[in-house]
Amino acid sequence: MAQNDLETRHLETLDRDLGRYSQLELAGTALSRGLVAPGVALAFVLLAGLGAMLSFGQTSNMLVVVMGAVIGAYMALNIGANDVANNMGPAVGANALSMGGAIAIAAIFETGGALIAGGDVVGTISRGIVAPESIGTQAVFVWAMMAALLSSALWVNLATWIGAPVSTTHSVVGGVMGAGIAAAGFGAVSWPTMATIAASWVVSPLLGGVIAAGFLWFIKARIIYRTDKIAAARVWVPVLIGIMAGAFAAYLALKGLGKVIDVSFGGALVLGAAIGLATWLVCIPVIRRQSRGLENRNKSLKVLFGIPLVVSAALLSFAHGANDVANAVGPLAAIVQASTSGSVTEAVSIPLWVMLIGAFGLSFGLFLFGPKLIRMVGSQITKLNPMRAYCVSLSAALTVIVASWLGLPVSSTHIAVGAIFGVGFFREWDAERRLRTAAGAAPERPRLAPEERRRRKLVRRSHVLTIAAAWVVTVPAAAALSAALFWVLSSIGG
């Protein structure tokens, strides 16, 4: 009996020891999995530096260019982690795309947009905010661009960590402004340019929100609230898809294909109208066939908006890659130009290896760190379905077109998130309106308590406050950090 008890105790001890080893193994696996993404990111950054070393050659400025390439790669990773969520978040939140599918599509189209059509806005980033000739020597200019690049990368990294989608364009603008002030004083900054950028803080989200809410109202009034939803969808869904196709054609002509084709604003509108009309005609029989056999309920409508939503996400990614790659490679291109020619006033040309760093950095950043912001944008601000996500995507294209017509700079981040806010707040207003209408029709029904009304809010107020605060402080925070980094780097560099 005593022998059996002893064996039992030995077995229990062995089980406990094995359990501890299993827990240690699981903890080690989880830890190593958590280190994979930073490890891959570090490898990409080091490869960018090695590529810069091989491409630039053995010169006295090689170390500076390699440092710039490393920081540029770091910035590109952060743009991919933060900014690309604005394009893919709505489609993922509406369940039109899986997370893996969204990342694959975004990686392909972001890289394609950066390599095919990217680079036209590099000049604005590198010399449109601060006059290079006012900074002085070539060395001071290089350290200013280096500080701007590093400060903006650190700020976007912090924003991604706290879960706030911020404008990477505004981050770079703040970084260039802060370094320019530290290097040459307040007179070096183009304050009219900064004023228009500050105006876009308000214009971008408001315009995006109003347009998205307007289209959601139209869909509700013309399709969702109709007695025969499927019949209404057969009439209006082809029209809505045609509007989306036309808007994206004009959007890409204006903002994504400047290096491929030269199109005026009027020409872009004509092109968009032609493509929109053709798409509408093509979609009439397609939607009629697709809607055959669908039940007369809201869930059936989601099927009709799924493919247009995926296509719009891909096109947004292409345009984003074409435009926002400049945020990563603009200061880097200026550093390479100044280090090669010794001049800070010559026009900036972009070497292929610099563009490759920006293009692949966007994709790697999205793949490694993007899912967190994609989930936040797609599902945590407000609940999205394909119809609401369609309104968000269409709003992004139309807002850029309207802003181009008005001559206003806008942020793709602010537009997309503002459109999500607009959709959510419109749903709150519409739900409240329908409750009041129902209460008026049936006065005997009990009214909702204030606590219940607050519980039914469809937009999470905590996210509204966090994102708004991050937007407001982005430019000054990046500027202050950039100024401090400039003083450190210039003192180290002599």
Side-chain angles (χ1 to χ4, degrees), residues 202-425:
V202 179
V203 173
S204 297
L206 283 182
L207 199 55
V210 168
I211 292 175
F215 273 98
L216 184 58
W217 167 82
F218 183 87
I219 291 172
K220 284 179 175 289
R222 294 294 179 181
I223 302 176
I224 294 176
Y225 294 155
R226 296 288 175 172
T227 303
D228 191 341
K229 304 176 194 298
I230 303 302
R234 286 171 180 162
V235 173
W236 289 111
V237 170
V239 174
L240 291 168
I241 295 174
I243 293 172
M244 170 175 275
F248 273 100
Y251 174 76
L252 290 172
L254 286 171
K255 292 292 181 182
L257 298 174
K259 286 178 64 179
V260 182
I261 54 175
D262 185 15
V263 181
S264 65
F265 183 80
L269 292 183
V270 171
L271 176 65
I275 291 179
L277 179 62
T279 304
W280 168 59
L281 293 173
V282 169
C283 283
I284 291 174
V286 173
I287 294 299
R288 188 173 297 276
R289 185 170 56 253
Q290 193 177 10
S291 63
R292 195 174 296 141
L294 292 179
E295 296 181 26
N296 186 34
R297 55 178 184 158
N298 291 345
K299 187 175 182 180
S300 300
L301 300 176
K302 299 176 181 179
V303 176
L304 305 179
F305 283 90
I307 294 177
L309 185 56
V310 173
V311 173
S312 70
L315 294 177
L316 278 175
S317 292
F318 183 90
H320 179 269
N323 282 273
D324 282 36
V325 69
N327 296 331
V329 303
L332 174 57
I335 291 169
V336 174
Q337 182 77 19
S339 300
T340 303
S341 65
S343 172
V344 298
T345 57
E346 290 184 7
V348 176
S349 60
I350 309 173
L352 178 61
W353 65 269
V354 171
M355 191 60 74
L356 287 173
I357 288 175
F360 286 107
L362 293 179
S363 297
F364 274 114
L366 167 68
F367 178 75
L368 297 172
F369 307 107
K372 178 180 179 181
L373 264 293
I374 288 177
R375 292 189 191 95
M376 200 282 289
V377 171
S379 58
Q380 295 178 18
I381 296 175
T382 191
K383 184 175 176 57
L384 295 175
N385 62 21
M387 286 82 81
R388 298 167 200 153
Y390 160 88
C391 296
V392 172
S393 297
L394 180 58
S395 172
L398 288 176
T399 302
V400 170
I401 294 170
V402 172
S404 298
W405 174 55
L406 297 174
L408 296 172
V410 289
S411 162
S412 60
T413 301
H414 290 192
I415 293 170
V417 178
I420 293 173
F421 285 153
V423 163
F425 285 124

Side-chain angles (χ1 to χ4, degrees), residues 384-474:
L384 295 175
N385 62 21
M387 286 82 81
R388 298 167 200 153
Y390 160 88
C391 296
V392 172
S393 297
L394 180 58
S395 172
L398 288 176
T399 302
V400 170
I401 294 170
V402 172
S404 298
W405 174 55
L406 297 174
L408 296 172
V410 289
S411 162
S412 60
T413 301
H414 290 192
I415 293 170
V417 178
I420 293 173
F421 285 153
V423 163
F425 285 124
F426 172 79
R427 291 178 61 221
E428 285 189 6
W429 173 83
D430 188 53
E432 186 72 20
R433 178 184 64 83
R434 289 168 66 82
L435 277 175
R436 287 197 301 267
T437 302
E444 69 279 1
R445 292 179 62 180
R447 297 179 64 86
L448 290 177
E451 294 79 7
E452 178 64 14
R453 288 181 181 274
R454 283 194 294 271
R455 192 182 67 80
R456 292 192 178 195
K457 295 297 184 187
L458 300 176
V459 179
R460 293 182 65 176
R461 290 339 191 234
S462 60
H463 285 309
V464 176
L465 296 175
T466 300
I467 293 170
W471 287 355
V472 169
V473 303
T474 288

